[in-house]
Amino acid sequence: MIEEEIVEVLKTVFDPEIPVDVWNLGMIYKIDVHDGGIVDIDMTLTAPNCPAADYIVEDVRTKVESVEGVEKANVNLVFEPIWDYSMMSEEARVELGFD
């Protein structure tokens, strides 16, 4: 399924300051796949003033658009709800020493 392939490529996108991918950090809030290969993604950042924001958003867009069947990825940066540590996967919490 295309959503699963999108999740797999999202696991290759990292915040340069954190050794965990954006998917396991819980930064991806929504993935909607529409007819014609259009994908809408709502994502957030660990901090609103993240200096790597442009890099991360562009990396998400580029990698999602590399998935077969995806023609265009629209990445919407949102800050509601505000990201916090509880959104991380168990794997991410262990990697970062929270568990």
Side-chain angles (χ1 to χ4, degrees):
M1 221 160 116
I2 197 167
E3 288 91 348
E4 292 168 355
E5 291 177 46
I6 290 170
V7 168
E8 288 307 307
V9 298
L10 290 171
K11 290 179 179 179
T12 70
V13 177
F14 290 83
D15 179 321
E17 298 178 357
I18 305 172
V20 176
D21 64 85
V22 296
W23 178 258
N24 281 297
L25 281 171
M27 293 168 52
I28 305 298
Y29 287 171
K30 180 180 79 172
I31 302 170
D32 285 337
V33 179
H34 305 282
D35 291 341
I38 306 300
V39 177
D40 291 324
I41 296 174
D42 285 356
M43 70 170 291
T44 195
L45 300 169
T46 56
N49 58 351
C50 175
D54 292 343
Y55 166 80
I56 296 168
V57 169
E58 184 62 18
D59 202 23
V60 167
R61 186 188 64 73
T62 301
K63 287 184 175 174
V64 170
E65 287 180 349
S66 75
V67 172
E68 187 174 335
V70 174
E71 295 299 318
K72 180 167 177 47
N74 301 309
V75 181
N76 308 304
L77 204 51
V78 298
F79 294 99
E80 299 250 340
I82 295 172
W83 181 88
D84 68 39
Y85 296 111
S86 70
M87 296 172 172
M88 292 190 293
S89 69
E90 183 178 339
E91 174 185 321
R93 286 192 300 274
V94 168
E95 176 73 24
L96 295 174
F98 289 99
D99 275 353

